[in-house]
Amino acid sequence: MNKYFIGALTVCGTLSLGACSDDNKNDNPNPDSSLSAKETMLREVARDYVEHNVLPTYEAMADAAIELFELVETMQTKHEAGTLTQADIKAACDAWKASRKNWELSESFLFGPAGDYNIDPHIDSWPLDKAAMDRLLDQIRKGNDYSIDTNLGYGLLGFHSIEYMLFELSKDGNTSLTHSTDYTPEELVYLALVSEDLRNQCVCLEASWAGTDNVSAAKQAILEDAELDKEKNYGWMMANAGQAGSIFKTYQEVAEEILQGCIDIADEVGNTKIGRPHSASSAEDRNYIESPYSLNSIEDFVDNIISIRNSYCGAVSGDASVSDYVASVDADLDKRVRNTIEDVIATIQLIPEPLAKNATSAAAGAAVQAAGDDLVSVLEEAYQVVVR
């Protein structure tokens, strides 16, 4: 999720928790034995949501980011030996895409650690500040010193800086190519540093949801070396609402958080990610393109809506889900939510890549309406069902 305009820096905030209505009857902590029928149902939703959606997504993202860093190290070694090939770079590109995919599949749950620790803007600021990036690379080639901590703003870190270093567009801009092998040693040092930083942040996200003791020993070592162990277990807090140590008083609050995350990313996909370049009201809007060098924009957007589907319907068949609760209250509304999600996915898929050349098309306009208006509206209706 982007939190930055070109050259601008804005720290993302966290969603407020416990935004229950004033007349909520379930706003006091209850032991499991005394949960209401609603709370009992939503407890199972929370536990399946954490175990089958959030944790596997972040684990896969971290695993791919670890692989990406290792492949970049291999690129360095082979470049030094004069044996770097396009296949080596392609392998790193594939690992980038795998980690990227799971990040986009996580964007319906950017609350909690992703916001609390500024991981979202740290690894996913866009659009890339190309002018600043080119200036930085020029300085790097000249051997000038820099550091991630002091010289690189969020716009020169994360997925999109790595994307710029691994992918390049064809001359006509219609095809994404694997970068040529003509890196300088200094460029590969930079690529390794930002890939390591991405790895560290992804592992931090996984550990902050799973609990440090529940990730692999190798990941624990990464956290220790990077001094990124937050000693939090956000997943436990969601799954154990009302218990001492949880920031959630009730499972209704958990369900509200889940739905608000869905609403937020639906709005961003429709009205920002697609909506701004579609409006083309300024050069800044026209260039407001996510993942432009890998031509991964449309896949990013589709994965964001799949993230909503996984959060609303359940990521695994048979999971307890928010959908189940909404259906128990208003079956017609639940059907409309599900159908709208599928309609939005299909509508976005009709936009051709590259988005930069098709952002003002009728297909893009239809996607703005479908995601930014239709899906947001029906999810807000579902939110009200949970609140009351």
Side-chain angles (χ1 to χ4, degrees):
M1 174 184 285
N2 174 49
K3 293 293 183 292
Y4 299 85
F5 299 99
I6 293 177
L9 182 67
T10 306
V11 177
C12 72
T14 60
L15 293 172
S16 61
L17 298 175
C20 301
S21 61
D22 292 339
D23 60 351
N24 173 29
K25 294 182 172 61
N26 294 317
D27 59 359
N28 293 316
N30 292 312
D32 285 358
S33 61
S34 63
L35 292 179
S36 67
K38 177 180 181 180
E39 283 288 289
T40 299
M41 189 173 188
L42 293 179
R43 177 187 62 191
E44 299 311 308
V45 171
R47 293 179 177 180
D48 283 349
Y49 174 80
V50 171
E51 290 298 322
H52 300 159
N53 186 15
V54 178
L55 296 185
T57 301
Y58 279 146
E59 180 181 15
M61 181 177 71
D63 288 348
I66 290 170
E67 181 185 11
L68 170 61
F69 172 60
E70 292 171 348
L71 289 167
V72 169
E73 287 190 309
T74 298
M75 286 172 57
Q76 280 187 289
T77 301
K78 288 193 170 184
H79 184 271
E80 184 177 354
T83 59
L84 180 65
T85 67
Q86 289 292 131
D88 297 320
I89 304 169
K90 173 66 163 52
C93 290
D94 290 344
W96 180 90
K97 285 188 174 183
S99 189
R100 178 73 185 165
K101 185 174 190 67
N102 282 284
W103 169 252
E104 295 301 314
L105 289 172
S106 80
E107 288 213 335
S108 65
F109 38 92
L110 287 178
F111 43 77
D116 292 347
Y117 309 131
N118 292 331
I119 296 174
D120 174 14
H122 191 125
I123 68 175
D124 194 32
S125 291
W126 55 272
L128 180 80
D129 189 339
K130 185 179 182 302
M133 185 72 173
D134 288 338
R135 288 194 300 271
L136 172 66
L137 291 175
D138 182 61
Q139 294 300 310
I140 287 173
R141 294 182 194 110
K142 293 175 180 177
N144 291 345
D145 291 336
Y146 65 95
S147 78
I148 282 178
D149 293 332
T150 59
N151 298 100
L152 304 181
Y154 289 158
L156 299 177
L157 291 171
F159 281 109
H160 298 298
S161 64
I162 298 169
E163 176 193 15
Y164 190 67
M165 299 295 291
L166 292 178
F167 300 87
E168 57 187 32
L169 292 174
S170 60
K171 289 183 179 180
D172 62 8
N174 292 328
T175 305
S176 178
L177 307 171
T178 301
H179 196 286
S180 65
T181 59
D182 62 350
Y183 293 100
T184 67
E186 295 81 10
E187 288 173 336
L188 288 176
V189 168
Y190 166 76
L191 179 57
L193 281 173
V194 294
S195 297
E196 181 180 32
D197 181 66
L198 176 67
R199 177 202 69 177
N200 296 347
Q201 297 296 323
C202 291
V203 172
C204 179
L205 261 179
E206 180 190 352
S208 296
W209 272 89
T212 303
D213 291 343
N214 297 316
V215 301
S216 69
K219 289 175 178 175
Q220 291 180 39
I222 288 170
L223 292 173
E224 183 176 358
D225 290 345
E227 299 182 349
L228 280 174
D229 186 357
K230 305 300 183 181
E231 299 181 347
K232 296 290 185 181
N233 189 330
Y234 197 83
W236 181 91
M237 288 190 278
M238 269 203 151
N240 293 278
Q243 295 190 28
S246 175
I247 60 176
F248 296 95
K249 293 180 181 179
T250 66
Y251 288 105
Q252 177 178 313
E253 290 183 10
V254 173
E256 290 175 9
E257 187 84 302
I258 292 170
L259 275 171
Q260 188 60 55
C262 293
I263 292 166
D264 289 345
I265 191 58
D267 177 69
E268 181 171 357
V269 169
N271 295 315
T272 301
K273 292 187 175 189
I274 304 173
R276 285 194 59 179
H278 178 69
S279 72
S281 59
S282 67
E284 186 175 67
D285 286 335
R286 286 192 296 275
N287 293 322
Y288 207 75
I289 307 292
E290 188 172 30
S291 302
Y293 303 103
S294 58
L295 296 188
N296 213 60
S297 306
I298 305 306
E299 184 169 348
D300 281 358
F301 307 155
V302 169
D303 286 339
N304 286 164
I305 307 305
I306 293 174
S307 178
I308 294 172
R309 182 172 67 192
N310 289 344
S311 291
Y312 180 78
C313 301
V316 175
S317 178
D319 274 1
S321 67
V322 175
S323 170
D324 292 338
Y325 178 74
V326 174
S328 73
V329 178
D330 188 336
D332 177 68
L333 172 59
D334 174 65
K335 183 177 180 180
R336 287 194 288 119
V337 175
R338 287 172 171 267
N339 288 344
T340 303
I341 290 170
E342 298 307 319
D343 288 346
V344 173
I345 291 172
T347 302
I348 293 173
Q349 287 174 329
L350 294 176
I351 308 171
E353 285 281 16
L355 181 62
K357 293 187 175 183
N358 295 286
T360 58
S361 66
V368 172
Q369 171 70 33
D373 190 351
D374 300 344
L375 184 53
V376 168
S377 295
V378 75
L379 286 169
E380 287 176 340
E381 289 185 59
Y383 184 94
Q384 292 305 315
V385 166
V386 170
V387 168
R388 66 173 182 257

